[in-house]
Amino acid sequence: MTNGNAITWNQLDLHRMSVFANRLAGVLADRSETTAVGLVGTLGAGKTQLTTLIARSIGVASDDVTSPTFTLAQHYRGSIGGDAPVTVDLHHVDAYRIADEDEWFEAGMEELLDTSASQDHRVWIFVEWADRFADWMPDDTLWIRIDWDTQSASPGDLPTDLPGENDQPRRITITGNKLPAGLADDESAS
C-alpha cells in the first residue's frame, strides 16, 4: 500500500488514542490539499473510534458521529485552529460493504477523493477497510493500521470480551508516501 517509512504508537488506551487523534488532526490541518486516510484493522479494532476522536477534534460532538457501515458514508463539518481557524469537511466512509470496483465508483468515491481543499478549507476522507480498494486510493494516502497491542501488553491486559467493547491497548502504525512530520509518539516512536 505504500513505500514510505512507518511511525508506530504503542500501548494506546482511550486516552492515548485521543492524544494521537488530536496530533493527527493538527498535522492534517497544516495540509492545504485534500487528504485521504486509509483505516485498516480487524473488526472492532478502533477505526470508527479513531474517526470519532478526529471529529471531536474539529468540534463535532461524539454523539453526532455514527458508523457509516450501512450508509457507506457520513459527512461532518467543523473547524480547527486557534486565531485563524480553518473549516474542515470530514468524510467518513466504510468500504466493507462495497463489493467491487464498480460499486466503489457507483458510490461516488472517485469524486469524493477528487474534492478540492483550499487555504482556509480542509477536506479529510477517512476510509475504513480501505485496503480492500488500495489500488483506487490516491498515491499519497496516509495509511493507518490499528491492531491489538498484544506484544506490549501483559496477559492480564489482553481483550477478554468482544473487540471494541473495552479499553484494551492498541497499536497504531502510520505509513504513506508523504508521511507528515509531527506524528511521532513522544513515548514510543519507532
Side-chain angles (χ1 to χ4, degrees):
M1 286 181 286
T2 181
N3 296 326
N5 296 323
I7 297 171
T8 301
W9 284 55
N10 295 305
Q11 287 289 318
L12 276 90
D13 56 12
L14 186 56
H15 170 74
R16 283 189 32 81
M17 189 174 280
S18 182
V19 169
F20 171 76
N22 288 333
R23 176 97 45 101
L24 177 60
V27 166
L28 296 181
D30 289 339
R31 295 175 140 196
S32 59
E33 69 270 5
T34 295
T35 302
V37 178
L39 298 172
V40 180
T42 61
L43 187 64
K47 297 177 295 293
T48 297
Q49 184 179 46
L50 176 60
T51 306
T52 300
L53 293 169
I54 291 289
R56 190 168 68 186
S57 73
I58 62 169
V60 176
S62 296
D63 291 344
D64 292 339
V65 180
T66 58
S67 174
T69 300
F70 296 104
T71 59
L72 297 183
Q74 297 286 359
H75 309 281
Y76 308 100
R77 179 167 276 184
S79 64
I80 192 167
D83 296 335
V86 294
T87 300
V88 177
D89 284 336
L90 171 60
H91 304 282
H92 183 197
V93 178
D94 189 331
Y96 186 78
R97 293 171 45 97
I98 298 176
D100 54 31
E101 286 96 11
D102 289 338
E103 281 191 19
W104 175 261
F105 290 110
E106 287 173 18
M109 289 304 301
E110 186 173 37
E111 292 84 10
L112 186 59
L113 292 167
D114 284 339
T115 304
S116 295
S118 67
Q119 196 62 28
D120 60 351
H121 180 228
R122 304 295 186 263
V123 178
W124 302 342
I125 304 159
F126 280 67
V127 182
E128 295 187 26
W129 304 100
D131 52 325
R132 297 184 67 230
F133 297 96
D135 291 343
W136 300 103
M137 294 293 288
D139 291 338
D140 61 352
T141 296
L142 185 63
W143 293 94
I144 297 179
R145 176 170 202 76
I146 305 173
D147 297 297
W148 296 107
D149 193 351
T150 57
Q151 293 178 340
S152 299
S154 65
D157 292 335
L158 297 179
T160 56
D161 53 356
L162 294 174
E165 296 297 321
N166 55 52
D167 191 25
Q168 301 302 324
R170 291 164 174 86
R171 175 183 306 110
I172 288 182
T173 305
I174 310 108
T175 58
N177 291 329
K178 291 184 178 180
L179 197 59
L183 282 181
D185 182 7
D186 299 333
E187 294 182 28
S188 65
S190 63

